[in-house]
Amino acid sequence: FMLPHSILALSVATPFFTRMSAHAEAGRIGDFRDDLSSSLRTILLLVVGGGAAVGAAAIPLAAFFDTDPATVVGISSVLLAYLVGLVPFSAMFVLQRGFVALADTRTPFLIQLIQGATAIGALSIVAVVVAPGRPDAVGVAVAACTTVASFVQAIVLALVLRRRIGGIDGRRVLVRLALF
């Protein structure tokens, strides 16, 4: 899960972050917005492709760690549940950097609390509903809870940042994402 994000998103986001910071410092919010949009479109394109490659190789990757078919399926299922959240996780990374470029670290911290509350709430449901009946499904359920929390945090970050800078070119980002 972290491999596509770490290799692709981090390497692309770094130069964009530098440019966004310079634009924010100079008060050129239009240029900041353009860089934010471009970085989101580029990174999401790359992580969708990288995530698809890792997803296609989920069973062979899991078989590297164990030979028991049930264990291999369990490991690959957890990986796939995390991979569903790769796009919002990487978008979250870029959006948080947008706030940092604007010299605002407080807002993403507060939004992180929302993500934490979502994860804790979802995990509480898993503990009560899933764990007693299907202990083998707990890993997948935890990964799914993390994915849901990432979606929530990415959406909240995007909405707050959009309001702060007068738009984030969301339509273009979503159209690019939908093409994959």
Side-chain angles (χ1 to χ4, degrees), residues 40 44 85-96 99 111-112 114-115 118 146-162 168 174 177:
L40 280 169
L44 296 182
L86 184 59
V87 167
F89 185 81
S90 293
M92 217 170 46
F93 177 78
V94 174
L95 295 166
Q96 287 172 334
F99 280 103
I111 294 171
Q112 181 69 38
I114 294 169
Q115 190 262 0
T118 303
T146 302
T147 292
V148 168
S150 292
F151 271 102
V152 169
Q153 186 176 4
I155 290 167
V156 172
L157 281 165
L159 292 173
V160 172
L161 188 57
R162 180 183 77 174
I168 58 170
L174 291 175
L177 190 58

Side-chain angles (χ1 to χ4, degrees), residues 10 13 104:
L10 287 173
D104 179 3

Side-chain angles (χ1 to χ4, degrees), residues 28-115:
R28 295 191 319 261
I29 298 301
D31 292 336
F32 172 88
R33 196 174 25 250
D34 291 344
D35 284 341
L36 179 69
S37 171
S38 184
S39 67
L40 280 169
R41 287 181 282 120
T42 303
I43 288 168
L44 296 182
L45 163 73
L46 294 171
V47 298
V48 165
V54 171
I59 289 179
L61 286 171
F64 180 74
F65 296 102
D66 203 307
T67 56
D68 176 48
T71 303
V72 168
V73 168
I75 292 170
S76 61
S77 297
V78 170
L79 175 60
L80 291 171
Y82 274 118
L83 282 172
V84 171
L86 184 59
V87 167
F89 185 81
S90 293
M92 217 170 46
F93 177 78
V94 174
L95 295 166
Q96 287 172 334
R97 296 312 167 274
F99 280 103
V100 171
L102 294 168
D104 179 3
T105 56
R106 183 173 187 257
T107 302
F109 169 76
L110 294 173
I111 294 171
Q112 181 69 38
L113 295 177
I114 294 169
Q115 190 262 0

